[in-house]
Amino acid sequence: MTARLIGHGAAGLPDHVDVLVIGLGITGTGVALDTTTRGLTTLAVDAHDLAYGTSRWSSKLVHGGLRYLANGQIGVAHESAFERGILMEVTAPHLTHAMPMLVPLMSSVSPVAGGLTRAGLVAGDLLRRSARTSRETLPGPRRVSATETLRIAPGLRPEGLRGGLLSWDGQLEDDARLVANVARTAAAYGAHVRTRARVMTATGTDVELRDELTGETRTITAKAVINATGVWAGELVDEITLRPSRGTHLVLRSGTFPDLRATVAAPVPGSTSRFVLVMPQPDKTIYVGLTDEPVEGEIPDVPTPSEAEIGFLLDVVSAAFTRSLRRSDVVGAFAGLRPLIDAGDGSTADISRKHAVLTSRTGVITIVGGKLTTYRRMAQDAVDCAVATAGLDAGPCVTATRPLLGAAPRDQLARLEHPERLVRRFGTDAALVLDNARAVSGLGDDELLAPVSDDIPVTLAELIFGVTHEGAVDVDDLLDRRTRIGLVAADREVALPLARRALDLTRRVAH
Ligand SMILES: Cc1cc2nc3c(=O)[nH]c(=O)nc-3n(C[C@H](O)[C@H](O)[C@H](O)COP(=O)(O)OP(=O)(O)OC[C@H]3O[C@@H](n4cnc5c(N)ncnc54)[C@H](O)[C@@H]3O)c2cc1C
């Protein structure tokens, strides 16, 4: 199949494809990569942009499944650990890294609770081994002294601190970047990937597609239609009713807790099993999360955190650290929606752990729930269902062994001599990002690689690549999804002129 670039709108698309995928979050892009690499002609569309929905509002963790083990869900836990290993060692080592996680043994954590947590971490390490993920990728857990606990997290309250439990899980460089990378890989294998193309109605064999740039509509037929619209799945398939629950994170500057070397699990006072995570990010910020609030009424395009959630997170963190956080420490806040499926009898089933593949009366296959970590397996299950239901002539699933564009073994990535930030976000494609920016702009590396500011490490080179290779159409795509500057409103203002410049430079080339 011919390699393509990510496009927008509905012009120039074929009238018929083997598989039409609705939604370009991690699930839909994962499905598009799966179908294309099985030799099926594929069109994957999003009403807005890549990673417009929940996929950009996650905690950015590559979960090993420990929490599912605690609930006795051994199959789900193993699947999570297995997929974590594939992401970290085969498909996306460039976008993932080992994240140290510290549970401080404070006076609010009883010795019994501490012992149970330690046993859980040992079980988590067994999961890692059963998934054949190496110790080099994820070191084993260990108990650390109070002195070492304070060295790893200097801001913690020292009173009553008995030490800490240090373990390792996976962390994504950026969730939306993973989506953009999967989408670009699917397009490189030949998928038609289009943003600004909204599906108005869908059956198992056709969709009415509206070009959001021109307002024109057209019908496209397919042998199979896969609905990967996340919490919006019920808007296209009326048999599905989702009742979402909101999870909120705060964004702090890294200077709020200087020298924080690990994610800290701050215990929720009064609970033995709930924690709020304080997670240092690679871009000079710290995320604090998570809440769990039921959402009533219409599903918003962009969910908004409530002041009550923000207050709760600030209180829990302030109880664990010597610095008492204020509202003014919060430089950004974001929320995502977990899909809960309405069981029809007034109760809901949580599919945020285990995904579901559902076939509607008209034959639309919906894939919903799950996690970023397990997107590959979710895509495989949805496509297996499509192949069986529609009798598609498809090859076997190969995504477990096909690295994404830019992926390479960690030792090879470490030896690359390109700018460190570009390697972290594009892997071996860092050279392509820079060469492309030079060719498009005619500018020197000083200008192309200069960070926006001390607090904003984003460069013009990556913004230009966002337009030329990742389908970005406007400043929102660049600031809110190809990069994550938009998570901090004040930074967004500062970076706006550079995003406009990237668009101007690329337009000049296009005309
Ligand atoms: C708060 C929170 C934290 C999380 N943290 C983690 C984590 O740390 N690690 C982890 O592994 N998982 C995590 N998850 C889970 C993970 O984020 C989700 O499972 C995943 O992002 C869902 O992706 P999706 O592609 O199914 O949906 P989405 O990302 O929501 O994508 C759906 C897409 O469909 C598009 N769409 C909707 N309607 C239409 C239409 N009619 N036509 C065309 N397009 C349409 C939307 O624009 C959107 O882009 C978290 C979830 C939440 C809520």
Side-chain angles (χ1 to χ4, degrees):
M1 268 188 261
T2 326
R4 299 176 201 283
L5 285 174
I6 297 166
H8 39 269
L13 288 173
D15 294 323
H16 180 80
V17 287
D18 290 331
V19 183
L20 196 145
V21 187
I22 316 169
L24 290 171
I26 192 59
T27 310
T29 54
V31 171
L33 179 58
D34 187 307
T35 51
T36 312
T37 50
R38 291 195 204 203
L40 298 167
T41 58
T42 303
L43 166 61
V45 298
D46 200 284
H48 302 276
D49 185 25
L50 305 177
Y52 186 83
T54 310
S55 298
R56 65 175 155 143
W57 306 126
S58 81
S59 305
K60 302 178 179 38
L61 301 178
V62 190
H63 291 297
L66 182 55
R67 67 183 70 173
Y68 317 123
L69 204 59
N71 295 333
Q73 295 174 289
I74 293 164
V76 185
H78 185 264
E79 180 175 284
S80 210
F82 189 73
E83 293 300 324
R84 176 183 64 178
I86 291 177
L87 259 172
M88 296 189 75
E89 295 188 337
V90 183
T91 54
H94 58 315
L95 295 182
T96 54
H97 50 262
M99 178 191 79
M101 172 125 93
L102 182 70
V103 181
L105 297 171
M106 330 184 65
S107 49
S108 58
V109 180
S110 71
V112 173
L116 285 173
T117 306
R118 188 165 191 189
L121 296 179
V122 171
D125 196 46
L126 287 175
L127 266 180
R128 172 197 62 74
R129 278 174 56 183
S130 75
R132 305 210 171 152
T133 307
S134 79
R135 277 229 161 169
E136 284 73 50
T137 303
L138 288 171
R142 66 188 168 95
R143 167 122 202 212
V144 291
S145 67
T147 312
E148 192 171 355
T149 300
L150 288 171
R151 191 188 61 78
I152 298 169
L156 283 171
R157 285 183 191 276
E159 311 90 53
L161 190 68
R162 307 192 299 280
L165 300 172
L166 185 66
S167 61
W168 299 78
D169 207 346
Q171 188 175 33
L172 282 166
E173 164 71 21
D174 174 0
D175 45 13
R177 178 117 304 278
L178 178 67
V179 177
N181 197 172
V182 177
R184 193 162 68 85
T185 308
Y189 277 111
H192 296 271
V193 179
R194 293 292 179 98
T195 67
R196 271 71 174 186
R198 178 183 291 276
V199 171
M200 306 301 289
T201 57
T203 74
T205 50
D206 61 23
V207 306
E208 191 194 357
L209 193 64
R210 186 173 76 191
D211 185 320
E212 296 291 81
L213 299 171
T214 63
E216 282 168 27
T217 56
R218 59 181 291 194
T219 300
I220 295 187
T221 58
K223 291 179 186 150
V225 172
I226 300 183
N227 174 19
T229 54
V231 281
W232 296 278
E235 291 177 5
L236 290 172
V237 175
D238 55 16
E239 293 119 287
I240 296 176
T241 308
L242 295 174
R243 292 217 213 123
S245 120
R246 189 174 58 231
T248 286
H249 290 90
L250 310 179
V251 185
L252 312 176
R253 296 273 186 217
S254 53
T256 312
F257 295 120
D259 302 320
L260 190 59
R261 292 183 178 85
T263 285
V264 171
V268 173
S271 162
T272 50
S273 56
R274 275 191 77 196
F275 296 93
V276 164
L277 298 184
V278 182
M279 299 170 273
Q281 300 297 312
D283 64 355
K284 300 192 176 185
T285 57
I286 296 173
Y287 297 166
V288 173
L290 197 59
T291 60
D292 193 351
E293 284 292 314
V295 174
E296 299 299 335
E298 215 168 285
I299 298 170
D301 275 357
V302 177
T304 332
S306 72
E307 281 302 318
E309 289 172 288
I310 296 173
F312 163 78
L313 294 170
L314 290 178
D315 287 349
V316 174
V317 177
S318 297
F321 286 80
T322 50
R323 173 169 177 164
S324 209
L325 291 181
R326 300 212 195 108
R327 183 65 177 83
S328 55
D329 290 314
V330 179
V331 292
F334 61 90
L337 301 178
R338 305 176 185 87
L340 305 178
I341 264 195
D342 194 323
D345 57 2
S347 69
T348 54
D350 187 351
I351 48 166
S352 59
R353 297 188 172 117
K354 179 74 192 141
H355 56 274
V357 179
L358 312 160
T359 306
S360 77
R361 279 188 298 271
T362 70
V364 176
I365 295 165
T366 296
I367 168 81
V368 67
K371 299 174 281 293
L372 278 149
T373 310
T374 54
Y375 82 91
R376 194 209 61 80
R377 180 64 210 218
M378 293 167 63
Q380 181 178 346
D381 289 353
V383 179
D384 282 348
C385 176
V387 168
T389 315
L392 301 176
D393 183 13
C397 176
V398 295
T399 50
T401 51
R402 286 284 161 99
L404 299 178
L405 291 179
R410 280 177 203 283
D411 54 344
Q412 193 179 322
L413 291 168
R415 285 196 302 273
L416 292 176
E417 285 177 3
H418 311 302
E420 186 255 335
R421 177 177 168 84
L422 294 189
V423 173
R424 268 202 288 111
R425 294 182 69 81
F426 301 93
T428 56
D429 276 346
L432 173 67
V433 173
L434 190 52
D435 288 346
N436 172 67
R438 287 175 185 142
V440 166
S441 69
L443 297 172
D445 289 4
D446 285 359
E447 235 173 315
L448 293 171
L449 294 174
V452 174
S453 75
D454 281 353
D455 280 330
I456 314 170
V458 174
T459 63
L460 182 57
E462 40 191 307
L463 295 173
I464 290 174
F465 193 75
V467 185
T468 55
H469 286 69
E470 297 180 330
V473 178
D474 58 24
V475 290
D476 298 345
D477 293 354
L478 287 175
L479 298 174
D480 299 330
R481 287 162 301 263
R482 300 308 173 278
T483 70
R484 309 311 302 281
I485 303 171
L487 288 175
V488 179
D491 291 354
R492 199 179 194 285
E493 280 304 304
V494 175
L496 205 53
L498 202 67
R500 291 201 178 112
R501 183 145 185 240
L503 286 163
D504 282 349
L505 288 164
T506 46
R507 267 187 210 120
R508 223 185 293 152
V509 171
H511 294 139

